[in-house]
Amino acid sequence: MDKFVIQGGRKLQGEVRISGSKNAALPLLASSLLCGGWNTYHNIPDLVDIKTIKRLLGNLGAEIEGGETLRVNTDDIKRCEAPYHLVRTMRASVLVLGPLVARMGRARVSLPGGCAIGARPVNLHLKALQDLGAEIDLRDGYIEARASRLRGATIYFDISTVTGTENIMMAATLARGTTVLENAAKEPEVVNLAETLNGMGAKVSGAGTDVIVIEGVDTLHPVETTVIPDRIEAGTYMIASAITGGDVTIRGCRLGHLDALVTKLKEAGISIEPVEDGARVTGGVEIRSVDVKTLPYPGFPTDLQAQVMALMAIGKGVSVITETIFENRFMHVGELMRMGAVVKIEGSRAIVRGVKKLKGAPVMATDLRASASLVLAGLAAEGRTDLLRVYHIDRGYHAIEKKLAALGADISRVKD
Ligand code: EPZ
C-alpha cells in the first residue's frame, strides 16, 4: 500500500487544472446502458472509481475504448448482473440498476452495503423503481428487479438523494408515460446527466430544480457529451491555497457550482477572484473561524466538510460544523486531533477551536474526503505527516500529489 509523505509549511503558488467530475462521469457512463451504438464521453477523469465502472460495464458486455475521451458501445449486453466484488468497492455501481431494468427488463445488482461514512441504504432507489412498476426481490444480498416495461409515475423522495434521482431519471426515460420526481436532487451532476439523456432523445425537464418531469420514449440513440468539471476537486484545491496562505489559480472549474464554499471562504477572510474559466484564491494572513452546515445542493457540500474542517482547525476562533447528510462523516476528526486540532463532537456537530499551528504526524485515511482533509492538514502542519492508505484518495483525485507538488508542496508517494 502506498503512503504520502508531506513536509508542511510551504505556501502553494501557481495554477492547477481541474479534472472531470467523478460524480458526473459515473452516472453518465451508466446511462450508456440505455441504448445501443457508440456513446462518446469527453473529459472523463482518470480515477480508480472510473476504472471500476469500466470493469462493471465490460462485465455486462459493453465495448469500451479510449481514456479521457471514452467511447462505450452496449449493443451486446451479455448479462444483467453487477457482482458483489465490484459493487462493494464502489457503491455508485447501483447506478446500473435503473438503466438495466429499463432497457433489458431485468437486473441483478448486489446491495452496496454500508461504507465508512454511513449505512447508505438504497431503499429510496428501490421504492421508486417499484413505483415505476418493477418487481423487486432482495435475495442473497442482491437486488433482483424485473419489469416487462416500466410505466410512468409520480414519485416523492423522502430524502433528496443524488444517485437515487439519477437512477430513477434514467429508468423513467424508457417508461411508458410520464414520470414526475418530487424532492429531486438539484446537484450539477444531475443536470449534466439530464442534458446527456436529452441528447440521447429522452424528454427530461426541470433538472436542477426539485421537480423533474420525464416523458417516456420507446428508444434512445447514442450521444456525444462532456463531463462537467469536478466541483469537489476544485473546492479541495481552493482550500489547499487558503490553508497554506498561498496564491493559487484554479483553472477549468465552474465557480457557479461552488457558491456555498466561496461564501464561506470569503467569510473566513480568503480572497477569491473570478478569472477566465476559474478563480484565483489567495490565503490571508489569518483565517477567521466560520460556522458551516452541510445541506443538499446548493447548500454547503458534505463532500467538502472534512476539508473545511482542516481549514477551521487553524482558524482564529471557534467554528461549529454541522453534518446533516451522513450519520458518520467525522472519521477525519480523530486523525486531525492527532495533529493537534482541538475538536469536540456533539452528535452531528463538531466544535472546532482553532489552534495556531498543527503538528505533522503519521495519520490514517479512512474514506475519500477524510483523506483529502488530512492532506490539507499536512500541507499546513509543522513537520512531517505520513498519510497511510492513500488508495482511498486515488478513488476521487487524479494524481493529487503531483498536482500539489506542481504548486510547490513538498509531498511524495512512497511504498509503505
Ligand atoms: C452522492 O452519493 C455522491 N456520490 C456522494 O459523494 C455525496 O456525498 C452524496 O451524493 C451527497 O451529496 C455520487 O454521486 C457517486 P445520497 P449518494 O443518496 O447518492 C440517504 C464522494 O465523496 N439515502 O444523496 O449515495 C443517505 O444515507 C461521495 O464523492 C437513504 O436513506 O448520496 C444519505 O444520508 C461520497 N436512502 C442521504 O440520503 C436511499 O435510498 C443522501 O444520500 C438513498 C439515500
Side-chain angles (χ1 to χ4, degrees), residues 309-344:
M309 187 183 292
L311 181 65
M312 290 297 106
I314 54 169
K316 200 163 177 56
V318 178
S319 155
V320 179
I321 298 181
T322 309
E323 171 59 55
T324 71
I325 307 292
F326 291 110
E327 67 269 27
N328 185 35
R329 202 167 200 177
F330 286 145
M331 304 288 280
H332 43 286
V333 170
E335 297 303 291
L336 286 172
M337 290 170 75
R338 297 185 58 249
M339 298 177 72
V342 176
V343 186
K344 191 167 178 304

Side-chain angles (χ1 to χ4, degrees), residues 22-23 26 91-92 117 120-125 159-163 302-303 325-326 329 368-369:
K22 166 178 84 78
N23 291 349
L26 293 172
R91 317 176 63 277
I117 63 177
R120 303 191 68 186
V122 289
N123 58 312
L124 301 178
H125 299 233
I159 304 174
S160 159
T161 158
V162 176
T163 50
T302 174
D303 291 349
I325 307 292
F326 291 110
R329 202 167 200 177
L368 169 54
R369 306 302 175 182

Side-chain angles (χ1 to χ4, degrees), residues 19-53:
S19 305
S21 162
K22 166 178 84 78
N23 291 349
L26 293 172
L28 284 193
L29 292 173
S31 74
S32 66
L33 292 164
L34 288 166
C35 74
W38 285 98
N39 289 285
T40 303
Y41 304 94
H42 296 291
N43 200 29
I44 294 284
D46 176 8
L47 300 169
V48 168
D49 275 7
I50 297 297
K51 291 185 178 69
T52 302
I53 196 162

Side-chain angles (χ1 to χ4, degrees), residues 58-76:
N59 188 288
L60 297 173
E63 270 184 275
I64 302 170
E65 291 169 0
E68 193 170 1
T69 288
L70 207 61
R71 299 173 80 254
V72 181
N73 183 316
T74 63
D75 270 335
D76 180 15

Side-chain angles (χ1 to χ4, degrees), residues 16-342:
V16 64
R17 178 151 290 280
I18 299 304
S19 305
S21 162
K22 166 178 84 78
N23 291 349
L26 293 172
L28 284 193
L29 292 173
S31 74
S32 66
L33 292 164
L34 288 166
C35 74
W38 285 98
N39 289 285
T40 303
Y41 304 94
H42 296 291
N43 200 29
I44 294 284
D46 176 8
L47 300 169
V48 168
D49 275 7
I50 297 297
K51 291 185 178 69
T52 302
I53 196 162
K54 284 159 74 171
R55 276 195 8 244
L56 178 57
L57 291 171
N59 188 288
L60 297 173
E63 270 184 275
I64 302 170
E65 291 169 0
E68 193 170 1
T69 288
L70 207 61
R71 299 173 80 254
V72 181
N73 183 316
T74 63
D75 270 335
D76 180 15
I77 298 289
K78 292 188 178 64
R79 62 183 66 79
C80 293
E81 174 156 338
Y84 175 60
H85 75 275
L86 284 179
V87 177
R88 75 181 165 84
T89 55
M90 186 184 69
R91 317 176 63 277
S93 307
V94 74
L95 284 165
V96 304
L97 180 62
L100 282 174
V101 178
R103 164 126 179 258
M104 308 302 290
R106 60 192 166 79
R108 183 167 189 270
V109 175
S110 167
L111 275 164
C115 75
I117 63 177
R120 303 191 68 186
V122 289
N123 58 312
L124 301 178
H125 299 233
L126 303 184
K127 177 178 170 297
L129 263 182
Q130 284 174 320
D131 292 348
L132 292 177
E135 276 172 58
I136 305 266
D137 291 314
L138 299 186
R139 196 170 294 133
D140 309 328
Y142 277 77
I143 302 159
E144 299 189 348
R146 287 170 310 289
S148 47
R149 173 126 193 226
L150 295 172
R151 61 171 191 276
T154 293
I155 291 163
Y156 175 78
F157 286 112
D158 297 350
I159 304 174
S160 159
T161 158
V162 176
T163 50
T165 300
E166 294 165 344
N167 224 340
I168 302 307
M169 185 165 69
M170 289 190 278
T173 57
L174 292 174
R176 188 193 312 281
T178 300
T179 297
V180 179
L181 304 185
E182 296 185 344
N183 195 26
K186 300 184 274 194
E187 273 68 4
E189 295 76 32
V190 173
V191 177
N192 197 190
L193 177 61
E195 289 168 352
T196 297
L197 293 172
N198 286 338
M200 297 168 79
K203 294 193 175 76
V204 181
S205 54
T209 76
D210 51 12
V211 179
I212 299 178
V213 180
I214 304 109
E215 304 284 339
V217 295
D218 291 337
T219 54
L220 296 170
H221 56 72
V223 68
E224 180 165 1
T225 189
T226 300
V227 177
I228 57 173
D230 193 317
R231 60 192 167 95
I232 305 303
E233 185 195 22
T236 304
Y237 285 103
M238 291 170 84
I239 296 172
S241 181
I243 204 170
T244 59
D247 178 355
V248 174
T249 298
I250 319 275
R251 289 277 183 218
C253 81
R254 295 220 192 130
L255 212 47
H257 290 167
L258 283 159
D259 287 346
L261 175 69
V262 168
T263 301
K264 284 296 163 185
L265 289 181
K266 283 181 176 170
E267 268 176 44
I270 308 303
S271 145
I272 299 184
E273 178 198 330
V275 297
E276 206 244 324
D277 92 340
R280 182 178 177 188
V281 181
T282 314
V285 171
E286 78 170 18
I287 296 157
R288 287 195 291 271
S289 293
V290 295
D291 292 346
V292 172
K293 180 174 187 178
T294 67
L295 286 168
Y297 192 87
F300 192 94
T302 174
D303 291 349
L304 285 171
Q305 178 258 104
Q307 299 92 313
V308 80
M309 187 183 292
L311 181 65
M312 290 297 106
I314 54 169
K316 200 163 177 56
V318 178
S319 155
V320 179
I321 298 181
T322 309
E323 171 59 55
T324 71
I325 307 292
F326 291 110
E327 67 269 27
N328 185 35
R329 202 167 200 177
F330 286 145
M331 304 288 280
H332 43 286
V333 170
E335 297 303 291
L336 286 172
M337 290 170 75
R338 297 185 58 249
M339 298 177 72
V342 176

